[in-house]
C-alpha cells in the first residue's frame, strides 16, 4: 500500500500564465540578482561569449546602412552583461579590421535592479560607460519612456533604435500552454500544491492557513529571515524532537528549491475570445491544428513587449533573438514541448519559431531563422519595415553568412559539450583536445580555460597547464579560482613557497574553502612547518568535517608531533 505524500494547497485553480510558479520565477530573477549567475545556477556561456557577439556584430554591421552616425543597440534581459561586454569588444574588432570608427550606443537593460546594480558596480563595465559606449537601464515593458537609468550614459538616449538583441530572453517571459481539444483552443490552468516531507502530520484547517501564509511570504531564493525562522519554529512546535532538525534543514533549503517542490494539478479551459481587432488568434489556431492535441508554449509576454517596442524602432532596424526553440516545419520536435527546463527557481520554455515568425510577419516584419533543429540555441532575425538602403549585404545575406553557412558559436558549443562528455568519462586527453579547439572559436573564455587547466593538471601536464593559464582571459566577475590552479601547478612542480602564495590569494579572492586549507597544509609540510600544517588542517576540518584525507593527515601529524 502506498502512502500519499502530504501536501499543502498553495493556490486555487488559475490560468497557468498567472500562477504562483510564474510569480516565483519572476521574483527569483528580480530579487536574487547576480548570485544566480555567480553560483552557476543560471547557465550563460552559450550566449555570453565572444563567438555569438561576433556573429551579431557582423550581421548588424553588414546589414545596417553605412554612415558615421551612432548605431543604437538595445539588449533586453541582459542579465550580468556577459554578452554586452563581448559585443562591445567585437564592435571594436570590426572597426579595427575594416578601418572604420562607427560610434556605438549600447543600452544594456534588464528588469532586475539587483542584477543591474552588480553590472554597474563592476569596474570592467564602468570603463565602458566612461568611454561613452554603454548605458545601463532598468526596463521591463520596452519603450523609451520606461527606461530607468542605473548608470547615466554619456550619450543621449536614442529616440529610435537600430537593433534590438535578446538572448535567452523570450524563453523566460510569461508563457502559456495551449492545446486543441475538440476543435477548440484551450489554455492550461493549474491548481498549485507544495509537497511536504513525509513525516509531516496531516494539517487541520487552521494550521493549513498558517503554513500557507508562511510559504507564500517566503523571500524567493534568499536565506530565511530571523522572523521567518521564528514563525517556522512555532509551526513545528508539536513535531517529535528527532524530526525537528530535519524539518529545520528542509525549511532552510525551501526558498532555493521552491519551484521544484511545487506540484500542479493541470487541466485545460477554453481560451477566452480575443478582442475583435486582434488577428493573432488565427495564428494560434493554425499552430494548434499543426500540433494536433499536443500542448505547445505561446510566449504572449514576448508578443506584448514586441508590440510596444515597434514604436521605438527605425524602419529597417533589426531584431536578433537567440533562444531555446523548435520549429514545427522541421518535423523534429522536442519530446515534450510542454516541459520547461528548470534552473533553480526559474524556468525556460522553448520558443515556437514558426509561430513567432508568423506573428512577426503579420505585424510588418520580415524574418529568417537558423535551420538546424537539434541545436541548443536557435537565432531568429527580423527586420522592421524593410527599406532599400546602402548596406554591404542585405539582412538575409548577412544572416546567411554569419549564422547559417558558419555558426562559430554553435561549433564552439558542440566542442565544449564533447570535451565535457570526455571529461565526465575520465578521458582527460580527449577532453583537452576538444577544449583547445573550442578556444579557437571562443578565445580567452574563462570557463573553458579553467576546465582545460583542470584536465591538464590531472594528466600531470603542468607545463601545458601553466601555458593555458597564461592566455589572455578576462573573468569578469572573478568566478573561477585560477589562484588555486596556479597553486596546484606550483606545488606539483616542487615550488611550495610559490604555491603557498597562490593558495593564500585564492582565500582572499574566493573566500574560505576546505580544499584550499588542505593544500596550504601540504605546502606547510613541504616546508617542514608542522604547526602551520596543523592549523590549516584544523580549519579545513572545521569547514568540511567529512574531509577524510585531512582527518587522516591530522591524526598522523598529531602522533608524530606529540
Ligand atoms: C535566462 S536569463 C538570460 C540572461 C542573458 N541574456 C543570458 O543570455 O545569459 C533571462 C534574463 O531576462 C531577465 N528578465 C526576465 N523577465 C524580464 C522582463 N519582464 N523584462 C526584462 N528582463 C526580464 C532576467 O532578469 C534575466 O536576466
Amino acid at each position: 500500500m502506498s502512502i500519499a505524500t502530504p501536501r499543502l494547497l498553495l493556490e486555487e485553480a488559475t490560468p497557468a500564465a498567472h500562477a504562483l510558479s510564474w510569480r516565483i520565477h519572476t521574483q527569483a530573477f528580480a530579487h536574487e540578482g547576480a548570485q544566480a549567475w555567480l553560483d552557476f545556477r543560471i547557465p550563460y556561456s552559450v550566449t555570453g561569449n565572444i563567438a555569438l557577439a561576433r556573429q551579431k556584430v557582423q550581421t548588424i554591421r553588414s546589414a545596417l546602412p553605412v554612415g558615421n552616425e551612432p548605431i543604437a543597440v538595445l539588449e533586453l534581459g541582459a542579465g550580468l552583461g556577459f554578452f554586452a561586454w563581448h559585443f562591445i569588444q567585437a564592435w571594436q574588432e570590426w572597426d579595427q579590421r575594416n578601418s572604420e570608427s562607427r560610434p556605438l550606443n549600447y543600452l544594456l537593460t534588464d528588469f532586475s535592479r539587483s542584477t543591474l546594480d552588480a553590472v554597474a558596480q563592476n569596474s570592467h563595465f564602468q570603463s565602458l560607460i566612461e568611454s561613452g559606449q554603454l548605458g545601463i537601464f532598468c526596463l521591463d515593458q520596452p519603450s523609451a519612456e520606461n527606461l530607468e537609468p542605473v548608470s547615466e550614459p554619456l550619450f543621449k538616449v536614442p529616440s529610435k533604435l537600430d537593433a534590438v538583441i535578446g538572448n535567452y530572453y523570450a524563453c523566460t517571459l510569461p508563457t502559456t500552454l495551449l492545446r486543441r481539444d475538440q476543435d477548440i483552443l484551450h489554455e492550461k490552468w493549474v491548481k498549485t500544491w507544495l509537497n511536504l516531507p513525509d513525516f509531516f502530520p496531516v494539517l487541520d484547517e487552521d494550521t493549513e492557513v498558517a503554513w500557507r501564509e508562511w510559504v507564500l511570504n517566503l523571500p524567493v531564493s534568499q536565506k530565511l529571515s530571523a522572523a521567518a525562522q521564528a514563525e517556522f519554529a512555532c509551526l513545528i512546535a508539536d513535531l517529535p524532537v528527532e524530526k525537528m532538525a530535519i524539518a529545520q534543514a528542509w525549511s532552510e533549503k525551501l526558498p532555493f528549491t521552491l519551484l521544484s517542490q511545487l506540484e500542479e494539478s493541470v487541466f485545460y479551459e477554453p481560451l477566452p475570445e480575443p478582442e475583435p481587432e486582434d488577428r493573432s488568434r488565427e495564428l494560434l489556431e493554425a499552430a494548434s491544428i499543426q500540433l494536433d492535441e499536443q500542448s505547445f508554449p505561446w510566449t504572449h509576454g514576448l508578443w506584448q513587449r514586441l508590440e510596444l517596442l515597434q514604436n521605438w524602432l527605425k524602419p529597417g532596424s533589426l531584431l536578433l533573438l537567440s533562444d531555446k526553440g523548435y520549429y514545427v516545419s522541421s518535423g523534429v520536435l522536442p519530446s515534450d514541448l510542454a516541459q520547461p527546463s528548470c534552473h533553480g527557481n526559474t524556468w525556460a520554455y522553448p520558443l515556437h519559431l514558426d509561430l513567432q515568425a508568423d506573428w512577426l510577419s503579420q505585424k510588418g516584419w520580415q524574418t529568417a531563422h537558423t535551420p538546424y533543429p537539434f541545436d541548443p540555441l536557435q537565432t531568429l532575425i527580423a527586420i522592421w519595415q524593410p527599406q532599400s538602403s546602402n548596406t554591404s549585404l542585405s539582412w538575409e545575406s548577412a544572416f546567411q553568412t554569419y549564422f547559417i553557412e558558419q555558426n562559430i558559436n554553435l561549433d564552439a558549443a558542440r566542442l565544449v559539450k564533447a570535451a565535457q562528455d570526455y571529461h565526465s568519462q575520465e578521458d582527460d586527453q580527449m577532453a583537452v583536445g576538444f577544449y583547445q579547439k573550442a578556444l579557437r572559436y571562443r578565445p580567452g573564455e574563462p570557463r573553458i580555460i579553467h576546465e582545460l587547466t583542470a584536465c591538464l593538471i590531472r594528466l600531470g601536464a603542468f607545463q601545458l597547464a601553466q601555458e593555458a593559464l597564461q592566455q589572455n582571459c578576462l573573468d569578469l566577475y572573478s568566478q573561477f579560482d585560477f589562484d588555486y590552479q596556479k597553486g596546484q601547478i606550483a606545488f606539483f612542480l616542487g615550488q611550495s613557497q610559490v604555491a603557498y602564495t597562490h593558495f593564500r590569494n585564492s582565500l582572499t579572492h574566493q573566500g574560505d574553502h576546505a580544499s584550499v586549507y588542505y593544500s596550504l597544509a601540504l605546502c606547510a609540510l613541504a616546508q617542514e612547518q608542522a604547526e602551520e600544517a596543523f592549523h590549516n588542517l584544523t580549519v579545513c576540518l572545521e569547514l568540511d568535517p567529512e574531509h577524510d584525507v585531512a582527518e587522516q593527515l591530522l591524526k598522523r601529524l598529531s602522533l608524530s608531533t606529540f
Side-chain angles (χ1 to χ4, degrees):
M1 189 183 78
S2 71
I3 300 171
T5 318
R7 56 184 195 165
L8 171 72
L9 178 66
L10 289 181
E11 191 171 79
E12 287 293 355
T14 173
H18 308 290
L20 179 63
S21 42
W22 270 109
R23 302 203 299 277
I24 291 173
H25 162 97
T26 307
Q27 279 179 40
F29 270 131
H31 303 304
E32 183 182 18
Q35 209 49 43
W37 277 271
L38 301 182
D39 292 350
F40 302 101
R41 267 170 290 145
I42 301 198
Y44 63 83
S45 350
V46 178
T47 51
N49 68 60
I50 189 68
L52 184 65
R54 282 179 179 155
Q55 287 174 265
K56 292 202 173 175
V57 165
Q58 287 159 338
T59 307
I60 292 172
R61 297 289 297 258
S62 310
L64 286 182
V66 183
N68 297 322
E69 65 288 357
I71 296 282
V73 178
L74 174 87
E75 186 184 351
L76 296 160
L80 276 188
F82 293 101
F83 177 84
W85 194 85
H86 287 108
F87 186 94
I88 296 173
Q89 303 311 304
W91 190 272
Q92 291 162 355
E93 284 173 10
W94 175 284
D95 274 348
Q96 273 163 18
R97 196 166 315 117
N98 297 285
S99 307
E100 286 177 20
S101 172
R102 189 81 188 255
L104 169 67
N105 296 164
Y106 196 95
L107 289 85
L108 182 161
T109 75
D110 200 282
F111 84 144
S112 164
R113 177 58 75 160
S114 56
T115 304
L116 294 174
D117 283 342
V119 184
Q121 282 154 21
N122 183 306
S123 58
H124 300 296
F125 288 94
Q126 268 165 17
S127 54
L128 297 179
I129 295 166
E130 283 156 20
S131 68
Q133 300 172 87
L134 178 71
I136 302 177
F137 301 87
C138 216
L139 184 70
D140 178 347
Q141 300 295 322
S143 65
E145 56 279 15
N146 288 336
L147 280 177
E148 288 173 37
V150 173
S151 75
E152 285 291 348
L154 293 184
F155 53 83
K156 187 169 163 289
V157 171
S159 58
K160 292 283 175 189
L161 302 171
D162 295 281
V164 176
I165 290 174
N167 297 317
Y168 286 140
Y169 164 73
C171 63
T172 62
L173 291 173
T175 299
T176 196
L177 289 167
L178 297 181
R179 195 170 80 186
R180 190 165 199 86
D181 194 1
Q182 297 184 344
D183 281 344
I184 297 177
L185 203 51
H186 285 68
E187 71 172 323
K188 180 178 162 185
W189 279 54
V190 295
K191 190 166 175 177
T192 309
W193 311 80
L194 175 69
N195 284 322
L196 298 169
D198 287 345
F199 56 80
F200 265 66
V202 177
L203 305 174
D204 63 34
E205 234 173 74
D206 287 347
T207 40
E208 203 175 313
V209 171
W211 270 98
R212 188 161 35 245
E213 212 165 288
W214 183 78
V215 174
L216 293 177
N217 285 327
L218 279 180
V220 172
S221 303
Q222 284 164 56
K223 277 191 170 173
L224 286 185
S225 64
Q229 281 176 12
E231 284 166 29
F232 187 76
C234 294
L235 290 172
I236 59 165
D238 293 337
L239 272 188
V241 179
E242 71 275 11
K243 302 287 186 209
M244 281 202 178
I246 309 176
Q248 212 95 44
W250 173 83
S251 73
E252 281 161 22
K253 278 201 206 122
L254 191 61
F256 299 94
T257 56
L258 198 48
L259 194 62
S260 59
Q261 306 288 320
L262 300 183
E263 191 180 306
E264 294 183 331
S265 327
V266 177
F267 58 101
Y268 281 78
E269 287 282 320
L271 190 64
E273 283 304 312
E275 300 295 319
E277 68 280 9
D278 183 0
R279 289 179 47 226
S280 314
R281 179 61 77 88
E282 300 155 26
L283 304 176
L284 298 177
E285 292 282 352
S288 76
I289 292 169
Q290 275 179 326
L291 281 161
D292 202 5
E293 287 183 3
Q294 193 177 358
S295 301
F296 63 96
W298 164 38
T299 320
H300 56 86
L302 178 65
W303 290 12
Q304 264 170 15
R305 285 166 178 80
L306 290 179
E307 289 257 20
L308 258 184
L309 193 61
Q310 286 168 177
N311 301 325
W312 198 4
L313 299 175
K314 278 184 197 155
S317 55
L318 297 172
L319 170 70
L320 288 137
L321 289 178
S322 295
D323 270 274
K324 286 154 57 79
Y326 64 92
Y327 36 106
V328 177
S329 50
S330 74
V332 182
L333 295 181
S335 55
D336 192 349
L337 298 177
Q339 283 308 315
S341 58
C342 281
H343 309 280
N345 276 325
T346 67
W347 56 15
Y349 278 94
L351 197 60
H352 186 325
L353 287 160
D354 310 272
L355 176 60
Q356 188 53 46
D358 288 347
W359 182 83
L360 285 163
S361 310
Q362 197 185 65
K363 299 280 164 186
W365 301 74
Q366 282 179 16
T367 71
H369 59 71
T370 42
Y372 312 113
F374 293 107
D375 282 339
L377 188 76
Q378 304 289 345
T379 296
L380 181 147
I381 186 169
I383 183 161
W384 175 240
Q385 296 176 342
Q387 310 281 299
S388 58
S389 55
N390 155 28
T391 61
S392 62
L393 282 179
S394 70
W395 66 275
E396 288 120 315
S397 314
F399 188 66
Q400 173 79 23
T401 307
Y402 298 113
F403 276 89
I404 299 181
E405 282 163 18
Q406 328 167 22
N407 194 328
I408 55 169
N409 181 39
L410 282 173
D411 288 345
R414 290 188 193 109
L415 292 165
V416 170
K417 170 83 175 53
Q420 287 168 338
D421 288 348
Y422 279 114
H423 178 179
S424 63
Q425 294 158 22
E426 296 182 14
D427 188 343
D428 285 323
Q429 279 190 18
M430 286 299 282
V432 163
F434 280 97
Y435 280 130
Q436 284 173 328
K437 198 149 184 220
L439 279 172
R440 289 201 216 142
Y441 297 110
R442 305 213 304 232
E445 186 164 312
R447 175 167 152 233
I448 303 181
I449 292 179
H450 191 262
E451 290 175 12
L452 167 66
T453 308
C455 290
L456 289 168
I457 292 174
R458 270 196 303 277
L459 287 167
F462 302 120
Q463 220 64 48
L464 285 177
Q466 243 169 359
E467 284 169 24
L469 291 183
Q470 279 158 7
Q471 302 179 45
N472 252 341
C473 164
L474 181 56
D475 181 10
L476 282 171
Y477 290 91
S478 302
Q479 280 179 285
F480 298 92
D481 197 350
F482 291 117
D483 289 313
Y484 184 65
Q485 290 189 320
K486 285 180 190 161
Q488 285 180 301
I489 296 168
F491 184 80
F492 289 126
L493 290 174
Q495 301 158 358
S496 58
Q497 187 55 47
V498 179
Y500 184 88
T501 310
H502 287 307
F503 291 139
R504 296 291 326 168
N505 287 343
S506 157
L507 293 178
T508 311
H509 298 135
Q510 304 288 336
D512 282 350
H513 288 284
S515 54
V516 185
Y517 279 99
Y518 178 72
S519 302
L520 280 169
L522 295 183
C523 289
L525 283 178
Q527 291 171 57
E528 298 181 356
Q529 294 170 353
E531 225 173 283
E532 168 90 15
F534 193 88
H535 165 74
N536 286 316
L537 289 171
T538 312
V539 181
C540 167
L541 285 164
E542 277 166 16
L543 292 168
D544 178 8
E546 317 256 290
H547 202 300
D548 293 342
V549 202
E551 194 176 332
Q552 284 163 21
L553 189 56
L554 188 62
K555 269 191 202 139
R556 285 214 329 257
L557 201 57
S558 309
L559 288 175
S560 60
T561 316
F562 303 107

